[in-house]
Amino acid sequence: MSYVGRTYDVIVVGAGHAGCEAALASARMGAETLMVTINLDMVAFMPCNPSIGGPAKGHVVREIDALGGEMGRNIDKTFIQMRMLNTGKGPAVHALRAQADKFSYQHTMKETMEKEEKLTLRQGMVDRLVVEDGECVGIVTQTGTEYRAKAVVLTTGTYLRGKIIMGELMYESGPNNQQPSVKLAQNLKELGFDLVRFKTGTPPRVHKDTIDFSKTEIQPGDEKPKFFSYETKSSDNEQLPCWLTYTSVETHQIINDNLHRAPMFSGVIEGTGPRYCPSIEDKVVRFADKTKHQIFLEPEGKNTKEYYVQGLSTSMPEDVQQAILRSVPGLEKAEIMRNGYAIEYDAMVPTQLWPSLETKRLPGLFTAGQINGTSGYEEAAGQGIMAGINAARKVQGKEPVVLDRSQGYIGVLIDDLVTKGTNEPYRLLTSRAEYRLLLRHDNADMRLTDIGHEIGLISEERYEQFLRKKSLVEQEKERLGQCKVKPSEVNEMLEAAGSAAIQDGSNLLTILRRPEITFAMIESLSPSPFDLDEEMKEQVEIQIKYAGYIEKQLSHVERLQKMEKKRIPADIVYDDIHGLAIEARQKLNKIRPISIGQASRIGGVTPADISILLVYLEHYNRVTAAKG
């Protein structure tokens, strides 16, 4: 006999990085929200590397912040190292990465969530969904308690039928020896959802006092760190270094000698692993010509001796893990505190989702994070905030918010998942975005703060500061365009910078376009009368230097927007469209694209199929208009 608990607007199942963002977004938008998780001590837990950011991933964190999410603020409070990567390249690939104090990160996020007025946290195992009249209207926990809601968001991570694998050892478990979620996975299958089996892994953790750092290279943080959140202006966090070492010829020999004991190669592991984050045994086999691989030693926090051995993810037996570690320079006496392991889990085939992250099969049910076949905390959080936003908007009777590929990496990520699907754990890369120059780390606020404000996640005070920034950047660009200089005023500076002298008068905007000239040099000639902070100055410089490239990308976006605006009616019958190739018909029926733009990105749908579809839509719209 079940007990009926409270009714909520939105229920979020799971409290990882997707669940935290989903629950906070929903509650902050005014929806009464319940977050149910197997273990409240695992809120925002980092089961793998203790870091946030990096190429593409760091961009997503900035976008979450620009929309009003929490991940950026939380890592800014709890980082123990901050580094901007790729600074020798252009701004499109600049990427911020932070080492986290993983325990402080968890506690700070949990504290934030506990303080949120419309958010209730509850420990419990969800066994099944409540379905009425073809819609998801709640959940039932292991204890038999039923909670009702108008929308449910599943963010179950790697817990669905989770199985830990280490050598010959196998047992049912979630990450870090947590309980797995078995009945909910079975319930999703019963409801008709297609699930796939994926695998991910983690390396061993070793005791700091058993590492010989003299044999490694120090990797310090930036002296003057930048931050993920636009709200963070300064920090007095103490930074700890990471350390770099490499595998050796002996390491590779040990791995090759023990491949028969590696679950990956012995057939024990059924799930597909991540291509861009392979285990060390996979790397040694796949890249047999390489004599060494990078290994980073990363502190897990200020108040622990545990070090994360990045680059040494493995599911080898414990004795082999110990031998591998001790063949690495600096780790000859390393003592393992936690073994590395692989984890297999069930994931949803993401083409079963609308771009809003609501499931097509079961209205009212949203999914976000690793359940959708992704890897990484940042990808999970990016989906989480969008699922939370759209669950709350469904409750409020509003249209969903869908970011397109030109608005953010979050848009690229979700469009890739729901349009193309994935046959392995999906990792976001900068190369997946067509508009990298538009989707930069520095301009996430310019792209997304208006949306965050409109949906109620950006405060009036923060929005006013954003509008002021935008205005000052434009005023400064205008000033530089109007500020004329003579050769005698500028040539000395140009010569010192290794730039060609000018023969006639010019304006400062034209001079700043030169690659070797910085905004700081321009300021030395003509200080700005406006109160510009460092972020504003960076915006002025980037927007001026890359104006031509940005305009080209924007005009391309404009052309493609016409395709995105050509909506495809939900009730269209693709089997009625003569001339469509059989494969196109099958794929279109499966994906049910919402626009011509999305249809054109489906694998197996050719330009000829799109032309036929456009002709059919014109006829369809004329007939519909005549009837109406």
Side-chain angles (χ1 to χ4, degrees):
M1 184 176 168
S2 66
Y3 158 73
V4 179
R6 266 185 65 189
T7 296
Y8 295 85
D9 293 320
V10 174
I11 294 171
V12 177
V13 179
H17 304 283
C20 290
E21 293 297 344
L24 284 169
S26 169
R28 287 167 176 171
M29 288 170 69
E32 286 291 341
T33 304
L34 170 68
M35 188 172 81
V36 185
T37 181
I38 294 170
N39 185 351
L40 279 174
D41 295 332
M42 303 294 283
V43 169
F45 181 64
M46 294 177 160
C48 203
N49 55 323
S51 69
I52 296 287
K57 292 167 174 279
H59 294 67
V60 168
V61 182
R62 288 283 271 186
E63 290 172 5
I64 291 166
D65 184 72
L67 288 166
E70 197 61 34
M71 182 176 258
R73 283 189 285 246
N74 205 62
I75 186 62
D76 285 351
K77 291 174 194 169
T78 59
F79 74 88
I80 51 176
Q81 187 187 106
M82 194 75 82
R83 287 182 76 186
M84 184 65 82
L85 308 179
N86 299 329
T87 51
K89 300 176 183 177
V93 289
H94 289 181
L96 196 59
R97 185 181 187 274
Q99 284 299 129
D101 183 316
K102 66 186 286 184
F103 308 104
S104 179
Y105 186 93
Q106 273 183 272
H107 299 150
T108 305
M109 185 66 88
K110 184 165 181 269
E111 187 181 5
T112 299
M113 300 186 79
E114 288 173 342
K115 287 177 180 174
E116 194 58 49
E117 196 179 333
K118 289 186 178 288
L119 177 57
T120 302
L121 273 64
R122 188 70 195 247
Q123 184 164 294
M125 170 81 77
V126 176
D127 276 358
R128 63 183 174 88
L129 304 173
V130 181
V131 179
E132 284 178 5
D133 300 323
E135 296 208 9
C136 184
V137 294
I139 59 166
V140 178
T141 67
Q142 194 177 44
T143 58
T145 305
E146 181 177 308
Y147 295 100
R148 294 252 166 168
K150 294 161 191 164
V152 173
V153 185
L154 291 186
T155 66
T156 51
T158 60
Y159 282 79
L160 291 182
R161 288 201 312 126
K163 183 198 282 185
I164 296 286
I165 303 165
M166 190 197 314
E168 296 83 20
L169 176 67
M170 281 188 296
Y171 55 94
E172 288 193 342
S173 174
N176 208 43
N177 287 326
Q178 294 299 300
Q179 286 185 73
S181 175
V182 178
K183 288 188 177 176
L184 182 57
Q186 291 166 348
N187 182 231
L188 288 171
K189 277 193 167 179
E190 286 161 10
L191 290 169
F193 287 104
D194 292 331
L195 303 181
V196 289
R197 199 79 174 146
F198 279 168
K199 179 221 88 153
T200 188
T202 190
R205 274 69 161 177
V206 298
H207 197 291
K208 177 186 179 181
D209 294 348
T210 64
I211 299 171
D212 183 352
F213 291 107
S214 69
K215 295 182 179 178
T216 67
E217 299 168 37
I218 192 167
Q219 305 284 299
D222 292 341
E223 203 173 312
K224 192 179 176 188
K226 294 197 172 184
F227 305 106
F228 280 104
S229 176
Y230 287 93
E231 293 185 345
T232 310
K233 299 303 175 191
S234 64
S235 171
D236 56 5
N237 288 17
E238 179 194 353
Q239 296 204 59
L240 302 180
C242 296
W243 305 84
L244 172 65
T245 182
Y246 295 87
T247 57
S248 64
V249 171
E250 187 191 347
T251 312
H252 297 204
Q253 191 61 54
I254 292 166
I255 290 167
N256 283 317
D257 289 348
N258 287 279
L259 284 179
H260 62 287
R261 299 181 68 195
M264 255 201 86
F265 297 101
S266 64
V268 170
I269 289 177
E270 302 164 31
T272 307
R275 179 185 314 206
Y276 299 103
C277 189
S279 66
I280 187 63
E281 50 268 36
D282 193 17
K283 280 192 275 193
V284 166
V285 170
R286 271 207 274 162
F287 308 107
D289 56 318
K290 290 194 80 169
T291 55
K292 61 180 184 178
H293 294 281
Q294 285 186 329
I295 302 292
F296 288 95
L297 306 174
E298 302 175 342
E300 295 225 316
K302 287 179 291 188
N303 302 310
T304 179
K305 296 275 190 177
E306 283 189 74
Y307 265 64
Y308 179 89
V309 188
Q310 186 188 307
L312 215 65
S313 177
T314 183
S315 57
M316 284 285 204
E318 184 174 353
D319 60 307
V320 181
Q321 290 191 33
Q322 186 72 73
I324 289 170
L325 277 168
R326 293 194 167 177
S327 68
V328 174
L331 300 180
E332 293 89 349
K333 295 180 180 177
E335 290 291 344
I336 294 176
M337 294 181 74
R338 301 184 204 227
N339 289 316
Y341 60 84
I343 182 167
E344 277 191 349
Y345 56 96
D346 286 346
M348 184 88 76
V349 174
T351 51
Q352 298 171 105
L353 306 173
W354 296 113
S356 63
L357 297 180
E358 186 173 17
T359 61
K360 297 170 184 174
R361 180 176 287 276
L362 193 56
L365 178 67
F366 295 76
T367 59
Q370 281 185 275
I371 188 177
N372 288 343
T374 56
S375 66
Y377 312 142
E378 304 84 357
E379 288 94 333
Q383 293 169 71
I385 192 170
M386 298 312 298
I389 288 166
N390 288 328
R393 285 178 74 85
K394 185 178 178 76
V395 169
Q396 294 160 357
K398 295 176 180 173
E399 285 293 306
V401 174
V402 175
L403 301 181
D404 68 40
R405 299 179 73 90
S406 66
Q407 287 177 296
Y409 275 95
I410 295 174
V412 173
L413 162 68
I414 294 174
D415 184 64
D416 276 354
L417 290 173
V418 305
T419 305
K420 302 171 185 172
T422 182
N423 54 13
E424 62 187 46
Y426 176 101
R427 180 178 181 176
L428 194 57
L429 308 165
T430 53
S431 58
R432 295 192 193 271
E434 303 90 324
Y435 310 113
R436 281 192 289 176
L437 200 49
L438 300 181
L439 309 182
R440 304 185 310 275
H441 165 92
D442 62 87
N443 72 344
D445 58 340
M446 299 290 179
R447 293 184 272 121
L448 298 172
T449 302
D450 282 325
I451 296 171
H453 177 252
E454 190 184 328
I455 59 182
L457 289 178
I458 295 289
S459 68
E460 288 302 326
E461 183 188 355
R462 179 169 168 181
Y463 191 58
E464 280 170 23
Q465 288 172 352
F466 163 69
L467 291 177
R468 180 176 176 273
K469 172 183 176 179
K470 208 171 169 183
S471 171
L472 287 176
V473 167
E474 287 306 315
Q475 287 179 62
E476 178 62 8
K477 281 162 61 183
E478 199 175 311
R479 180 187 82 86
L480 294 175
Q482 292 170 353
C483 190
K484 303 280 194 256
V485 285
K486 298 172 187 170
S488 58
E489 297 170 312
V490 76
N491 277 348
E492 191 178 331
M493 181 269 284
L494 292 176
E495 194 179 323
S499 191
I502 59 170
Q503 305 304 317
D504 303 307
S506 182
N507 61 53
L508 292 177
L509 187 144
T510 304
I511 288 169
L512 184 52
R513 281 197 180 125
R514 298 183 178 197
E516 59 276 9
I517 304 301
T518 65
F519 185 80
M521 294 173 186
I522 297 293
E523 266 195 310
S524 67
L525 287 177
S526 173
S528 175
F530 309 117
D531 184 18
L532 303 178
D533 62 22
E534 289 306 310
E535 280 193 351
M536 294 176 195
K537 292 173 185 178
E538 182 183 47
Q539 273 308 296
V540 170
E541 184 166 341
I542 291 172
Q543 287 185 25
I544 287 173
K545 280 193 187 301
Y546 295 92
Y549 300 105
I550 291 168
E551 279 165 27
K552 273 183 193 171
Q553 288 212 337
L554 286 172
S555 65
H556 190 222
V557 168
E558 208 174 307
R559 287 197 301 277
L560 289 180
Q561 286 292 352
K562 291 173 185 171
M563 300 276 274
E564 301 296 335
K565 284 174 183 168
K566 287 189 193 296
R567 310 302 276 184
I568 299 175
D571 59 352
I572 197 164
V573 181
Y574 290 106
D575 291 332
D576 291 349
I577 306 176
H578 301 297
L580 277 182
I582 292 171
E583 185 183 3
R585 208 170 285 175
Q586 289 170 344
K587 294 284 182 71
L588 290 165
N589 273 319
K590 182 184 174 186
I591 308 293
R592 307 296 306 174
I594 61 171
S595 70
I596 290 291
Q598 189 189 0
S600 70
R601 293 189 292 275
I602 298 172
V605 177
T606 66
D609 295 317
I610 294 297
S611 299
I612 290 164
L613 187 53
L614 283 167
V615 171
Y616 179 85
L617 279 180
E618 272 188 47
H619 172 71
Y620 179 96
N621 291 334
R622 275 201 306 272
V623 170
T624 306
K627 284 179 183 173

